[in-house]
Amino acid sequence: MASLVEGKTGSWEVVIGMEVHAQITAHSKLFSGASAAFGGEPNAHVSLVDAAMPGMLPVLNEFCVEQAIRTGLGLNAQVNETSVFERKNYFYPDLPQGYQISQFQHPIVGKGEIEIDLPDGSVKTIGITRLHLEQDAGKSIHDQHPTKSYVDLNRSGCALMEIVSEPDIRSADEACAYWAKLRMILRYLGTCDGNMEEGSMRADVNVSVRKPGAPLGTRCEIKNVNSIKAVQMAVDYEVQRQIEIIEGGGKIDQETRLWDPAKGATRSMRSKEEAHDYRYFPDPDLLPLHVGADWIANIKQTLPELPDQKKHRFMEDYGLNAYDSSVLIAERERADFFESGAKGRDAKLVANWILNELLGLLNKDGKDLSSSPVTAAQIGGLIDLITDNTISGKIAKDVFAQMYASGKDAAAIVETQGLRQVTDTAAIEKIIDEVLAENPDNVAAYRSGKDKLFGFFVGQVMKKMGGKANPSAVNDILKSKLGRS
Ligand code: ADP
Ligand code: MG
């Protein structure tokens, strides 16, 4: 269905398809035993295979194949029992083989789909065209020497999954939602850590515009788009650029463009005429890859609960709304934290404390849950004290702040500071009598109709009792003493 961003793109419909390169989280590379760890001394993680020494032969990493299958299953996609590794030939200094081993005609994963969650709360399905396995390249380094370039082959040969979408995406918001959802699924599956600063997830974004109902327009492919913010900005920029050209009577050249984050603009890298002829052919060093149906079925058995399933279960089992559920499931660790705290407790209350209090403080400190000073059990302990009326909700906030600062249990803080709620009506009554005796004018004013003063009396009582009086007992006794209810 056509969706238009009125005002921004006028009567033009935006069409986007994304190619995401996701590095497989693995100890070793796709065709060698060298370490696939990020960083390290330059050229410390390089085997003779990665350096393309003559006569070296690639050996396929079974674990990486398994992760690609797992990802295909997580994307609701067809896993192909037969796939073929081909050589994609081009010359570049960071590619010592002179070709990249990739899959072309026969990828390991075919068509699939994922649901994306849009800012207005709606859900849309985006088609996945394919997922194939390929090697990453090394890195040329141009800024270390005035006249020389260096090369670091640590990344050379690391396993990538290239995940290609159908041109189903219709706006920058949808592109961001697609990227975020894909990242979430990969992280749930554990097949890619989604670490964008380390380049574990990189996107090429294909953008075109057309009038709704018209055939697809000519696309430009934007490379080097490596964060959600960059996706948003690059698409917005590119859409405006294309609309201006077409409305100015020009036409779009199919080309590869580069996103320049510093300039906030895309610029031409190469046009279609200069496009490579990669001379793909099956790699004679690697037999076609056959994966058995039983292996695929076994991997399917081990899939974790995925984000959408978890979100719906949280809504049904815990009575949470869609928004709270989606925030809680955004990270698997966060969802687990919530579930362990919610066990046997008022789940909505637990969700509120995590979402409104804990995540707020962590966010402010730039921390995530793994470094939270308050554990799920400790949040649970605090909530138990609220539910059994040991402390009021208001005191609980102060207790929580102290828990966060000190890592101590709620019960310990409540005991050492004497924060237990006073429910003893005789004690509350005594304080109320004092307050009323001290404020005869206000008592008279209240009795003659100034209802608003009720809050004043509550405040005075609470103040005298250090905020610890049970609020409903204070209300009840005050009402009966003041003679109006
Ligand atoms: P290539 O490998 O040359 O980049 P593909 O056919 O594999 O070409 O397409 C790459 C990506 O471009 C896919 O994600 C696809 O959905 C997207 N795409 C194809 N045509 C268009 C178009 N007209 N506008 C926007 N995206 C497109
Ligand atoms: Mg492409």
Side-chain angles (χ1 to χ4, degrees), residues 19 206 219 221:
E19 296 161 272
N206 295 268
R219 72 186 151 109
E221 176 176 355

Side-chain angles (χ1 to χ4, degrees), residues 454-470:
F454 194 77
F456 162 80
F457 296 119
V458 173
Q460 291 298 306
V461 174
M462 282 297 185
K463 200 166 152 195
K464 275 181 183 271
M465 300 190 70
K468 289 181 287 181
N470 176 294

Side-chain angles (χ1 to χ4, degrees), residues 66 69-70 73 292-303:
E66 180 172 336
I69 295 172
R70 187 185 309 285
L73 295 169
D294 48 343
W295 193 27
I296 300 171
N298 282 342
I299 296 171
K300 195 167 192 170
Q301 293 292 318
T302 67
L303 284 195

